[in-house]
């Protein structure tokens, strides 16, 4: 969500997620072991001084000091890391709320930037030899659709074309009306499904696409008049983010209305790594709502990468806390046993 104000700041930061019961259990265990060892030391080797010394030594070594700091100190440094991502985590509870995220959504323009889609070739058919008309119609059609193709065709024109009317978005193609003509755009399967004859090349077969290049046909009033070869590649930011998301077990989900962006295309761009999912949006492009106020535990003033990195920080913090909890119990057990052996064996005493 985009907002001008984030509410519930004090409500979120006032709640502590520190597991006080774990500290109390460790404290009680250490105190119990110290009492038992002190009673034993009262008789073996004997004397009140040995009993008090044994009690103090066992309690000091059996209760690890860092048990008091395993939440506050890592939380402080996690906030420092988040600030480096132009983000903030409102309260420790927010960290645990967001550490379970395993899907992050992206708009197709965040995955395929302006410089990452190229119009490599255009073929015109029949009596259609007006290249500017073909580009203008595609620009009008995709104006209501948005996405990388809207940017691609808009940039290919000297001036902006008016949007198409009655735009209808399907998972594998787009249709609309321009100047009273029915215009369709999509891959070969979409055109065949609409009953439109596909032109063939000089060898008598339709020209196909390559791994990263998609072929999109344009039809006017039921007849193919143009074919576009469009090359796709991931943006640099998304390419750098992909291995990080994979390591953290996060699945990227791409929202798109582009008929050329398919699961097959994404697999080819990731060398067969089928870790990216697609959600086809069948409504027209809508403006992003700016909310007056939103209650959220994770806030960023940066871009999508900053937000994703902030989520990764919560995952690292959660894993670190789990390891510290186990380490605290191990330190209590090892320290307690060591202290009992040292005190009862008269190998170490606490000065009076």
């Amino acid at each position: 969500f985009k907002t001008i104000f984030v509410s519930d700041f004090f409500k979120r930061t006032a709640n502590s997620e520190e597991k006080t019961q774990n500290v109390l259990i460790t404290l009680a265990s250490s105190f119990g072991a110290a009492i038992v060892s002190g009673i034993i030391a009262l008789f073996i080797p004997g004397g009140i001084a040995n009993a008090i010394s044994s009690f103090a030594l066992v309690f000091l070594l059996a209760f690890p000091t860092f048990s008091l700091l395993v939440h506050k100190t890592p939380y402080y440094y996690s906030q420092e890391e988040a600030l480096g991502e132009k983000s903030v985590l409102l309260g420790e509870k927010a960290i645990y709320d967001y550490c379970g995220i395993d899907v992050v959504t992206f708009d197709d323009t965040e995955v395929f930037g302006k410089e990452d889609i190229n119009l490599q070739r255009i073929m015109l058919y029949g009596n259609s030899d007006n290249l500017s008309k073909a580009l203008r119609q595609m620009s009008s059609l995709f104006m209501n659709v948005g996405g990388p193709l809207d940017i691609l065709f808009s940039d290919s024109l000297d001036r902006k074309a008016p949007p198409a009317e009655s735009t209808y978005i399907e998972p594998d193609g787009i249709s609309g009306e321009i100047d009273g003509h029915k215009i369709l755009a999509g891959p070969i399967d979409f055109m065949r499904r609409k009953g439109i004859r596909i032109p063939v090349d000089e060898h008598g077969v339709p020209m196909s696409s390559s791994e990263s290049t998609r072929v999109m046909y344009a039809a006017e009033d039921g007849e193919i008049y143009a074919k576009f070869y469009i090359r796709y590649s991931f943006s640099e930011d998304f390419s750098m983010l992909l291995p990080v998301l994979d390591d953290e077990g996060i699945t990227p989900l791409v929202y798109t209305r582009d008929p050329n962006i398919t699961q097959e295309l994404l697999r080819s761009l990731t060398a067969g790594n089928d870790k990216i999912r697609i959600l086809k949006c069948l409504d027209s492009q809508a403006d992003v709502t700016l909310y007056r106020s939103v209650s959220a535990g994770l806030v960023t003033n940066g871009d999508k990468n900053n937000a994703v990195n902030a989520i990764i920080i919560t995952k690292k913090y959660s894993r670190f806390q789990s390891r510290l909890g186990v380490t605290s119990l191990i330190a209590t057990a090892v320290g307690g046993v060591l202290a009992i052996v040292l005190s009862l064996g008269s190998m170490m005493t606490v000065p009076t």
Side-chain angles (χ1 to χ4, degrees):
F1 299 99
K2 289 191 174 184
T3 183
I4 58 177
F5 185 79
V6 180
S7 59
D8 293 337
F9 172 82
F10 294 104
K11 178 181 177 181
R12 288 180 177 274
T13 55
N15 294 328
S16 175
E17 283 294 305
E18 183 172 343
K19 295 179 175 58
T20 308
Q21 65 270 20
N22 290 354
V23 178
L24 293 177
I25 290 173
T26 305
L27 185 63
S29 301
S30 304
F31 188 78
I35 287 289
V36 173
S37 63
I39 293 175
I40 296 174
L42 183 63
F43 302 100
I44 304 173
I48 188 68
N50 286 326
I52 295 175
S53 177
S54 177
F55 170 82
L57 182 63
V58 172
F59 185 73
L60 288 175
L61 291 185
F63 184 74
T65 308
F66 74 85
S67 295
L68 301 174
L69 304 173
V70 292
H71 288 274
K72 296 297 185 289
T73 304
Y75 177 62
Y76 169 77
Y77 284 103
S78 67
Q79 290 286 22
E80 289 287 316
E81 292 289 330
L83 286 174
E85 297 294 338
K86 300 180 181 179
S87 306
V88 66
L89 298 160
L90 300 183
E92 191 178 359
K93 185 177 185 302
I95 297 180
Y96 292 108
D97 288 341
Y98 289 92
C99 70
I101 288 177
D102 56 4
V103 175
V104 173
T105 63
F106 294 85
D107 289 329
D108 50 8
T109 51
E110 295 171 324
V111 176
F112 303 100
K114 181 178 180 180
E115 306 296 329
D116 307 310
I117 294 189
N118 301 305
L119 189 57
Q120 291 192 318
R121 184 183 179 191
I122 304 176
M123 292 183 63
L124 301 176
Y125 293 98
N127 298 325
S128 177
D129 56 355
N130 193 338
L131 178 60
S132 62
K133 174 187 175 182
L135 294 174
R136 187 172 64 254
Q137 286 187 338
M138 291 298 99
S139 177
S140 299
L141 189 60
F142 283 95
M143 192 172 297
N144 294 330
V145 177
L149 290 185
D150 176 28
I151 301 173
L152 176 68
F153 288 116
S154 295
D155 290 346
S156 65
L157 299 175
D158 294 333
R159 57 184 179 181
K160 194 173 183 179
E165 299 177 352
S166 303
T167 305
Y168 184 68
I169 303 173
E170 300 182 54
D172 57 346
I174 313 294
S175 61
E177 292 186 6
I178 302 175
D179 298 330
H181 297 280
K182 182 74 171 181
I183 306 298
L184 286 83
I188 187 171
D189 292 337
F190 173 73
M191 294 297 175
R192 285 173 175 167
R193 185 164 60 84
K194 295 295 183 179
I196 299 176
R197 187 181 63 84
I198 306 299
V200 294
D201 62 7
E202 63 273 14
H203 300 292
V205 295
M207 297 184 66
S208 60
S209 59
S210 64
E211 290 186 352
S212 61
T213 302
R214 301 288 97 176
V215 174
M216 187 181 74
Y217 291 88
E220 182 179 28
D221 295 331
E223 184 177 351
I224 298 289
Y225 71 92
K227 179 161 58 171
F228 303 90
Y229 289 80
I230 306 171
R231 185 178 183 275
Y232 289 79
S233 61
F234 288 142
S235 65
E236 183 178 354
D237 289 342
F238 186 73
S239 298
M240 294 175 62
L241 201 57
L242 265 181
V244 179
L245 295 176
D246 193 16
D247 291 341
E248 295 294 337
I250 298 176
T251 300
L253 176 64
V254 182
Y255 287 169
T256 184
R257 299 172 179 85
D258 190 331
N260 297 321
I261 299 178
T262 61
Q263 206 69 50
E264 179 187 0
L265 172 64
L266 297 183
R267 277 196 297 267
S268 64
L269 293 177
T270 55
N273 188 348
D274 194 18
K275 294 293 182 68
I276 306 176
R277 294 291 178 265
I278 292 178
L279 181 62
K280 288 287 186 176
C281 301
L282 303 182
D283 56 342
S284 298
Q285 180 178 237
D287 295 331
V288 178
T289 303
L290 179 62
Y291 293 88
R292 293 184 59 187
S293 177
V294 169
S295 175
L298 193 156
V299 184
T300 182
N301 199 30
D303 55 16
K304 178 61 70 66
N305 284 358
N306 294 129
V308 172
N309 288 332
I311 292 173
I312 293 174
I313 290 173
T314 66
K315 290 180 173 291
K316 292 181 178 179
Y317 176 90
S318 178
R319 289 197 298 266
F320 187 61
Q321 283 295 338
S322 298
R323 290 197 296 268
L324 284 182
V326 175
T327 305
S328 177
L329 295 177
I330 294 175
T332 297
V334 173
V337 172
L338 178 63
I340 291 173
V341 172
L342 292 176
S343 62
L344 297 183
S346 299
M347 290 180 281
M348 180 178 179
T349 59
V350 177
T352 306

